[in-house]
Structure formats: structure tokens, C-alpha cells
Amino acid sequence: MEISSTEENYLKAIYALQSSGDKPGVSTSSLSEHLNNKAASVTDMLKRLSDKKLIHYKKYKAVSLTKQGEKLAIAIVRKHRLWEVFLMEKLNFKWDEVHDMAEQLEHIKSDELIERLDAFLGQPKYDPHGDPIPNAKGVLPKPKTSALSNIQNKGHYIFVGVNEHHVDFLRHLTSIGLKIGDQIKIEEHNSYDGSYLIRINKKPGQYISHKVASNLLIEMKS
Amino acid sequence: MEISSTEENYLKAIYALQSSGDKPGVSTSSLSEHLNNKAASVTDMLKRLSDKKLIHYKKYKAVSLTKQGEKLAIAIVRKHRLWEVFLMEKLNFKWDEVHDMAEQLEHIKSDELIERLDAFLGQPKYDPHGDPIPNAKGVLPKPKTSALSNIQNKGHYIFVGVNEHHVDFLRHLTSIGLKIGDQIKIEEHNSYDGSYLIRINKKPGQYISHKVASNLLIEMKS
DNA sequence: AAATAAATTTAGGCTGGTCTAAAAATGATT
DNA sequence: AATCATTTTTAGACCAGCCTAAATTTATTT
Ligand SMILES: [Mn+2]
Ligand SMILES: [Mn+2]
Ligand SMILES: [Mn+2]
Ligand SMILES: [Mn+2]
């Protein structure tokens, strides 16, 4: 069964929304917003994906991926993230530059290609944004990370990923000298506005807004 | 101006046909054959490419690329060949395996990506089939090669490329132990059927049919 | 339980890219 | 020069993927 790039993007969007959201199932309107398409167009595509048995679809109900649909969605995520690693590790792009190219590369069709790319890159477990890379069987390393904003205690942590992938946010992190793998020491937490005073790799103190903190993923220093 | 992958494939086909053929200009029927599309579909697309000023098109006349069209066609050829080098040099694919993947990769849109890929690969001048790779400005190293079938004299030559890219032909060469860069010594030329007796890298004699010889590109041993 | 608001689907239309069948133009043959 | 064959274009249709506007269903208020 042939699957178009457009269909792949819908599957990926459904997968992303259903894993980010709390309740199971994804609404037409959330897909419409996520994909920058009108709701009517989404309904159209949902019927096609349903015909191909890639999603569970009942009129007016939230949709979800079938086993096959999820398998495909995860395969696309795997490709996207591996290509991002390639672009950064091999071609020296910055972490805020890789997304748009990966958005195209993820649709290249060849299982052999992606397995060889994986081997070439040394089977990385995480992409440049700290997102986990599913293995060839579709298994994701489930990370035990937390958003910085969920933590009030002072202490030492490691910055391992971002929740937000927009260029502006990534550039902001770069501008304050924060990159994946850095040590973060929480020195102060202001409970009235949720902001933090932190130290990055023992450098002078740095204020972080609640909004930024909510998009930083950290783990305990081991 | 946006150019679709389909349009890019047409431009590439026109470029290939106009450089292979003797007379200038490309016919609707030759494009139809090359692209496995019906002539009516080709006419349709020719009008669109003409509207975009990528080709010179007059009803019932052979078409040719404009300056802009040729620039784009060469850029696609560059991308195709650089990706083929990547697949072979970095991902260890065989020379008969790379074409279909490159056919997809050539349409990835990012000038920066292709320049970095070029640098990563060490600015190769030829692809795995011996085809010249245009530089970033679109200039092709014009090679002074000849088909083996054009040569009758005994002597020493170097195998530098192929005229035919089909998998079966490439596998045949691999099976007789012939690869790019090998030394070829012409020991005998049979003028009645155009076949050859050659030695590859000084190994025992090997018969080569006229058909095969016409698809082998060689140059004088320097 | 009605009324209103919001989400979703249907209906109809458009573009890109393909097709088949028929018409028109060009080229070759007598 | 007229006829026949080949090539090319036109006409009309279809599918994927999008849109707007209108109809329908579901959710929220009162
Ligand atoms: Mn995509
Ligand atoms: Mn990423
Ligand atoms: Mn192509
Ligand atoms: Mn090649």
C-alpha cells in the first residue's frame, strides 16, 4: 500500500498530539491547527486514512492510530530524528537549523537507507533536541525526565532536552549559553512568577522565566 | 517561484535528452518515453514549464531549456550525483543500489544542505558511475572519455564510467570483476561482431560484447 | 428542555498531474 | 500534389489534496 508524504504528515501529527495530550484520541480541530489546514480538509484526509486502516475513525468522534498507523508514525519519527542527528553531527548544522530539512528527509522511502544511516551515526538514542529515537522495531527509550518548571528544590541537574522546537526558543537558549548536556544548578525559585535563578556549568547566575523553564527537560545529576 | 518534484524531473529529463542527443531540442515523444508518461501529459507539463519560463516551447516544435531551466536542471543533477556518492562512500551501498534513493534525495530543497554535503564528501568530481558532478556554479568538468567500442587499437586504458545505469548492466560488470578505476588492456578486437578480448588489471582474458563495450567509458592510461 | 455556541461534516470548486480518445499538424511516400 | 502515417495537441475525465460556505451534530448555557 502506497502512502504519500501528506498522509505520513497526518499520521505523525496524530501520533504527536495523542502522545502529548492527556486524554486518548485526537480532534479534527487540533489536527487542523497543528497542520495549518482547514478542518474540512482534515475530515477529508481522515476518511482516506480510515479507508487504509491507518486510523480508527467514527464521525464526530476523536481519532486514534491503528497498530499499523502507529507503526508507520513511529517509523517517520525515527527517520526525522536520525536525519537531524546526521545534519548536526556530520554536516555541522546548528540545532535550530535542522528541523525543516529533516521534515523533507523523513519522507525518503527506503528501509535499508535508514538502517545504514543509523549504523553510520552509531545508533544514537537521542536527537539534537534531546528527543528519543525509536529503534528499528519502533521501541522508544522512555525517558524519566521532567520539565524544569516542575521542580522547586535547589540542586544539581542535567539539561537533556526541550519541549519546544521553534527556532526562536532554540536560539534563545543558545544565546544564554545553554546546550544539551549542560549542568544546571537551581539556586533560587521564585514562586510568585515561577522564574528561576540558575547556574549553567558553574558560570555566573542566569534568570530563567517560567515559560522557558516549562520547556526545558532535565534529569537528576547521576 | 516554487518548483515541484515533478517539474524538476521534467527539467532533468529534457537536460539529459538534449545533452545525449545529437540535434538540439527534445521531442514530446522522447520525453514521453523517457518519463513513462503519455504524450498528452507531457504536452500539458510543457505548457506549464513554458509559463514559468523554464523552457522554450512552440507548438509542434522541439523544446529546449532556458538559461534558468538549465541552471535548475544542472542543480538537480548535482544533487543526485552528490547523494549517490554519499550513499556509496558513507553508507556503503553498491553502485547498482544508489540510483533510486538518489532519485528521491535529489528533490530535497536546501542549498545550504547540498553545499555542506559536498564539503563533507570532499568535493568529489565524479559520482559512483563515473558521471561528472557539476560544481556549485553549475560548471561540469567536461571529460575527454570515449566508449570502449570506439577504439580498435590494442593498448592500455582506464575504465572511468558507464553510459548505461540500469541495475542489470551494473551487476554484470560487477560479476565480471570490473569496477571504476580498473586498468583495461585491449588484447583483441573482433571487427565482425565488435566484441573484445580484454584483460582487467592483468587478470586472465575476458570477452566483452559490443553492446557492453559501447557502454563502457575509458580514457588513455596516463 | 430549549436555545445557543462550537466542532465537525458535507457539498461544491480549484490546482497539479495523470489518463484516453479524438482532432489537428507535420512528415513521408507515392 | 495528394495520400497516408506519425507526432502532437486538445477535450474531457479522474484522483489527491486543498479551499469556502452551508448543513449537521455535539456540547454548553440558561
Ligand atoms: Mn513531513
Ligand atoms: Mn528533533
Ligand atoms: Mn527525481
Ligand atoms: Mn550516477
Side-chain angles (χ1 to χ4, degrees):
Chain A
M1 185 180 36
E2 295 287 288
I3 292 172
S4 69
S5 297
T6 309
E7 290 170 327
E8 290 187 342
N9 283 339
Y10 272 85
L11 292 177
K12 198 171 61 134
I14 295 167
Y15 179 77
L17 291 171
Q18 94 179 1
S19 23
S20 74
D22 33 353
K23 52 202 69 149
V26 175
S27 69
T28 301
S29 54
S30 64
L31 278 168
S32 165
E33 193 179 1
H34 190 85
L35 293 162
N36 284 309
N37 277 346
K38 297 297 169 182
S41 312
V42 173
T43 301
D44 228 70
M45 179 59 86
L46 292 181
K47 285 183 197 158
R48 277 196 293 266
L49 292 174
S50 180
D51 289 346
K52 291 189 173 184
K53 312 253 189 251
L54 299 173
I55 62 172
H56 300 291
Y57 175 66
K58 289 259 159 58
K59 268 190 197 177
Y60 296 101
K61 296 284 175 61
V63 300
S64 59
L65 295 169
T66 62
K67 264 265 126 47
Q68 176 64 4
E70 183 173 89
K71 196 180 141 194
L72 287 170
I74 290 174
I76 299 155
V77 168
R78 170 168 164 80
K79 291 198 273 181
H80 184 102
R81 293 180 180 167
L82 282 172
W83 279 115
E84 283 192 346
V85 173
F86 169 73
L87 293 170
M88 207 167 151
E89 296 295 315
K90 302 296 183 181
L91 301 193
N92 303 119
F93 281 102
K94 305 202 196 84
W95 71 338
D96 55 298
E97 297 173 323
V98 298
H99 184 76
D100 290 356
M101 288 175 277
E103 204 59 50
Q104 300 178 62
L105 288 160
E106 71 188 1
H107 301 294
I108 302 292
K109 280 170 182 55
S110 168
D111 291 343
E112 186 68 17
L113 170 55
I114 205 66
E115 295 324 313
R116 298 233 187 171
L117 181 64
D118 185 42
F120 180 60
L121 298 172
Q123 278 145 307
K125 297 282 166 293
Y126 298 92
D127 85 358
H129 311 101
D131 297 313
I133 299 175
N135 69 16
K137 293 195 171 121
V139 180
L140 275 143
K142 200 63 193 171
K144 59 279 168 262
T145 60
S146 165
L148 174 55
S149 57
N150 293 330
I151 296 183
Q152 280 82 36
N153 318 39
K154 294 176 189 183
H156 293 271
Y157 302 89
I158 303 289
F159 170 48
V160 295
V162 292
N163 266 334
E164 162 74 69
H165 294 69
H166 288 124
V167 171
D168 293 346
F169 175 65
L170 298 176
R171 293 231 183 102
H172 174 66
L173 298 186
T174 302
S175 78
I176 66 173
L178 185 59
K179 55 191 185 312
I180 298 232
D182 282 352
Q183 187 195 124
I184 289 183
K185 182 181 172 206
I186 299 181
E187 301 218 307
E188 253 179 70
H189 171 248
N190 302 306
S191 51
Y192 81 99
D193 70 351
S195 70
Y196 291 82
L197 177 61
I198 66 172
R199 274 170 167 274
I200 300 168
N201 292 337
K202 301 180 177 153
K203 283 183 293 199
Q206 172 75 49
Y207 275 100
I208 297 285
S209 71
H210 175 76
K211 188 168 153 81
V212 168
S214 69
N215 286 315
L216 297 180
L217 294 172
I218 59 174
E219 57 183 38
M220 293 298 298
K221 195 173 178 186
S222 54
Chain B
M1 185 181 37
E2 296 288 289
I3 292 172
S4 70
S5 297
T6 310
E7 289 170 327
E8 290 187 342
N9 284 338
Y10 272 85
L11 293 176
K12 198 172 59 136
I14 295 167
Y15 180 77
L17 291 172
Q18 96 181 358
S19 19
S20 74
D22 32 355
K23 52 201 71 151
V26 175
S27 68
T28 301
S29 55
S30 64
L31 278 168
S32 165
E33 194 180 1
H34 191 84
L35 294 162
N36 285 309
N37 278 346
K38 298 297 169 182
S41 312
V42 173
T43 300
D44 228 72
M45 178 58 86
L46 292 181
K47 286 183 196 158
R48 278 196 292 265
L49 293 173
S50 180
D51 289 347
K52 292 190 172 182
K53 312 254 186 249
L54 298 174
I55 62 172
H56 300 292
Y57 175 65
K58 289 260 159 56
K59 268 190 197 178
Y60 297 101
K61 295 286 175 58
V63 301
S64 59
L65 295 169
T66 61
K67 264 265 129 44
Q68 176 64 4
E70 183 173 89
K71 198 180 139 194
L72 287 171
I74 290 174
I76 299 156
V77 168
R78 171 169 163 80
K79 291 198 273 181
H80 184 103
R81 293 179 182 168
L82 282 172
W83 279 115
E84 283 192 345
V85 173
F86 168 74
L87 293 170
M88 202 164 155
E89 296 296 316
K90 301 296 182 181
L91 300 193
N92 303 120
F93 281 103
K94 305 202 196 84
W95 71 338
D96 55 298
E97 297 174 322
V98 299
H99 184 76
D100 290 355
M101 288 175 278
E103 205 58 49
Q104 300 178 63
L105 287 161
E106 72 189 0
H107 301 293
I108 301 291
K109 279 170 182 57
S110 169
D111 291 342
E112 186 69 17
L113 170 55
I114 205 66
E115 294 325 312
R116 298 235 187 169
L117 182 64
D118 185 41
F120 179 59
L121 299 172
Q123 279 144 306
K125 297 282 165 290
Y126 298 92
D127 86 357
H129 311 100
D131 297 313
I133 300 174
N135 69 16
K137 296 196 169 119
V139 180
L140 274 143
K142 201 62 194 173
K144 60 276 169 266
T145 60
S146 164
L148 174 54
S149 56
N150 293 331
I151 297 183
Q152 280 83 35
N153 318 39
K154 295 176 189 183
H156 294 271
Y157 302 88
I158 303 288
F159 170 49
V160 295
V162 292
N163 267 333
E164 162 74 69
H165 294 68
H166 288 125
V167 172
D168 292 346
F169 175 65
L170 298 177
R171 293 230 183 101
H172 173 68
L173 298 187
T174 303
S175 78
I176 65 173
L178 185 58
K179 54 191 186 312
I180 297 228
D182 283 352
Q183 185 195 127
I184 289 182
K185 182 183 173 202
I186 300 182
E187 301 219 308
E188 252 181 72
H189 172 249
N190 302 304
S191 50
Y192 80 98
D193 70 351
S195 70
Y196 291 83
L197 177 61
I198 67 172
R199 275 169 166 274
I200 300 168
N201 292 337
K202 301 180 177 152
K203 282 182 295 200
Q206 172 75 48
Y207 274 102
I208 297 286
S209 70
H210 176 76
K211 188 168 152 80
V212 168
S214 69
N215 287 314
L216 297 181
L217 294 173
I218 60 175
E219 57 183 37
M220 292 299 297
K221 195 172 179 186
S222 52

